[in-house]
Amino acid sequence: MIEDNQAYLLALGQQAKQASYALANLTGSQKQQLLAAIAAKLIAKSDVIVAANKIDVANAREQGLSDAMIDRLLLDNVRLAAVIADIDNVIRLADPVGAELESQLLDNGLRLSRRRVPLGVIGVIYEARPNVTVDIAVLALKTGNAVILRGGKETLQSNLALSDAIREAISEQGLPIDAVQLIQSPDRALVTGLLKLDCYIDMIVPRGGQHLQRLCAEQATIPVILGGIGICHLYADKDANIDKAIEVIVNAKVQRPTVCNALDTLLVHQDIAEEILPSLYLKAQSLGVSFYTCERAAKIAKGINVDVEPATDETYGQEWLSLVLGIKVVDDIDQAITHIRQYSSGHSEGILTDNIHSSATFVNQVDASAVYVNASTRFTDGGQFGLGAEVAVSTQKLHARGPMGLEALTTYKWIGVGDYTVRA
């Protein structure tokens, strides 16, 4: 890393740490007022933000980015309004900071309790989606944390416009403007440097593909929350309601195919394959879905003149982020679970069945951050879980798992109160 980058990052860290001290002292009502001011400022700056996003989209098209990537970075008036509406949801959520988790009077005379407190400074590295800039800033501020953001170069103009609006609102509330900072250079060396800023940053959250996740895991000297990669499965059991199952499968695949909780592979019990797959093929194909299938599923497709590609280990391990669906016919629930264990990223998995014993077996044996019975994988989302906006979806087990809301941005401290008590 060049010396200027090092100095730049150190300044960001110092400024964020200093701002975090002021944020930690805010009351719940003060934080609500701050978030309301941010929402109002984003509304006032909507035209500027949407115009900046149009520049990013135009640049992305010139650079030949995929339609899936362009959909991720798009922030039109409708999507921006939804992002701003989510701020109101976060405002209404209970503030976890200051909550007393437990309290007890010990035999040694101490009154000991655990109290929720902010983490301090959070570093977030993300790609494509500019809404993440708002979501993370709002959640961080609600929990009294300062945040350093590093978005992708493909959304730089959008992120600049969003962060400028947020910082302006923070300043107008009389709070340190550096409570939210955006790294404005696309230089990749800044990412590596950010990962080693452990003297100021308390947690790193990478939101992006497998390369970014591995980079952070291997190079960070700061605790890292890994996740966001979704190789998601649904298993249609032999006791599934066929018509209802098809609706869930189609929703999981096409409702928004470019996101991490979209369905990637459908597993079908052999006893219902001949019944469910013809209708599913035709309905999904009419919505633009293409297929990679096993031989048994391919035979059924051929019988109704639906073209499919042969599935391989590589395709079963693919997060599609597009209108592509893998399909495999399995002998039984055990084979379905074995397949999921081999290919799952630990994000979202589901079973479609009316058999309570099958659903219990699936829930108990499948290891993922979210496991569903008769529901779409698309529900793995902070808003849908009632958490408000989300920081990320963690696929690890410490210290947060699944959609990360407010509590995931806090830690706790032990507080011991005595009467000038000494240890015997």
Short mmCIF file of all heavy atoms in Angstrom, two decimals, residues 19-27 31 97 118 144-145:
data_model
loop_
_atom_site.label_atom_id
_atom_site.label_comp_id
_atom_site.label_asym_id
_atom_site.label_seq_id
_atom_site.Cartn_x
_atom_site.Cartn_y
_atom_site.Cartn_z
N ALA A 19 -15.94 9.79 16.46
CA ALA A 19 -17.39 9.96 16.30
C ALA A 19 -18.16 8.92 17.10
O ALA A 19 -19.25 9.21 17.63
CB ALA A 19 -17.76 9.86 14.82
N SER A 20 -17.61 7.71 17.22
CA SER A 20 -18.31 6.65 17.94
C SER A 20 -18.52 6.99 19.41
O SER A 20 -19.50 6.55 20.02
CB SER A 20 -17.56 5.33 17.79
OG SER A 20 -16.37 5.32 18.58
N TYR A 21 -17.61 7.77 19.97
CA TYR A 21 -17.76 8.15 21.38
C TYR A 21 -19.01 9.01 21.57
O TYR A 21 -19.74 8.86 22.56
CB TYR A 21 -16.53 8.91 21.87
CG TYR A 21 -15.24 8.12 21.79
CD1 TYR A 21 -14.05 8.74 21.44
CD2 TYR A 21 -15.21 6.76 22.06
CE1 TYR A 21 -12.86 8.02 21.36
CE2 TYR A 21 -14.04 6.04 21.99
CZ TYR A 21 -12.86 6.68 21.64
OH TYR A 21 -11.69 5.96 21.55
N ALA A 22 -19.25 9.93 20.64
CA ALA A 22 -20.43 10.78 20.73
C ALA A 22 -21.71 9.98 20.50
O ALA A 22 -22.73 10.18 21.18
CB ALA A 22 -20.34 11.93 19.72
N LEU A 23 -21.67 9.05 19.55
CA LEU A 23 -22.85 8.26 19.25
C LEU A 23 -23.25 7.38 20.42
O LEU A 23 -24.43 7.13 20.66
CB LEU A 23 -22.60 7.39 18.01
CG LEU A 23 -22.36 8.13 16.69
CD1 LEU A 23 -22.01 7.13 15.60
CD2 LEU A 23 -23.60 8.93 16.30
N ALA A 24 -22.26 6.87 21.15
CA ALA A 24 -22.55 5.96 22.26
C ALA A 24 -23.35 6.63 23.36
O ALA A 24 -24.01 5.95 24.16
CB ALA A 24 -21.24 5.41 22.82
N ASN A 25 -23.32 7.95 23.41
CA ASN A 25 -24.03 8.68 24.47
C ASN A 25 -25.42 9.14 24.06
O ASN A 25 -26.13 9.74 24.87
CB ASN A 25 -23.21 9.92 24.87
CG ASN A 25 -21.99 9.57 25.70
OD1 ASN A 25 -22.03 8.63 26.49
ND2 ASN A 25 -20.91 10.30 25.51
N LEU A 26 -25.83 8.85 22.83
CA LEU A 26 -27.14 9.31 22.38
C LEU A 26 -28.26 8.51 23.03
O LEU A 26 -28.14 7.30 23.24
CB LEU A 26 -27.26 9.16 20.86
CG LEU A 26 -26.35 10.04 20.00
CD1 LEU A 26 -26.61 9.76 18.52
CD2 LEU A 26 -26.55 11.52 20.31
N THR A 27 -29.34 9.19 23.33
CA THR A 27 -30.52 8.51 23.85
C THR A 27 -31.30 7.88 22.69
O THR A 27 -31.07 8.20 21.52
CB THR A 27 -31.44 9.49 24.59
OG1 THR A 27 -31.94 10.45 23.65
CG2 THR A 27 -30.69 10.20 25.71
N LYS A 31 -31.56 9.25 18.69
CA LYS A 31 -31.25 8.43 17.51
C LYS A 31 -32.45 8.35 16.57
O LYS A 31 -32.29 8.37 15.34
CB LYS A 31 -30.80 7.03 17.95
CG LYS A 31 -29.39 7.03 18.53
CD LYS A 31 -28.88 5.64 18.84
CE LYS A 31 -29.31 5.16 20.17
NZ LYS A 31 -28.62 3.93 20.62
N VAL A 97 -29.54 -0.97 22.57
CA VAL A 97 -28.44 -0.43 23.37
C VAL A 97 -28.95 -0.04 24.76
O VAL A 97 -29.97 0.64 24.90
CB VAL A 97 -27.79 0.77 22.67
CG1 VAL A 97 -26.73 1.41 23.58
CG2 VAL A 97 -27.15 0.34 21.36
N PRO A 118 -22.84 -0.52 22.04
CA PRO A 118 -22.43 -0.53 20.63
C PRO A 118 -21.10 -1.26 20.45
O PRO A 118 -20.28 -1.33 21.37
CB PRO A 118 -22.28 0.97 20.30
CG PRO A 118 -23.07 1.68 21.34
CD PRO A 118 -22.98 0.85 22.57
N GLY A 144 -25.71 3.17 17.72
CA GLY A 144 -24.64 3.97 18.28
C GLY A 144 -23.26 3.68 17.74
O GLY A 144 -22.26 3.97 18.39
N ASN A 145 -23.18 3.11 16.53
CA ASN A 145 -21.90 2.78 15.92
C ASN A 145 -21.55 3.75 14.81
O ASN A 145 -22.42 4.20 14.06
CB ASN A 145 -21.95 1.38 15.30
CG ASN A 145 -22.09 0.28 16.34
OD1 ASN A 145 -21.17 0.03 17.11
ND2 ASN A 145 -23.25 -0.37 16.36
#
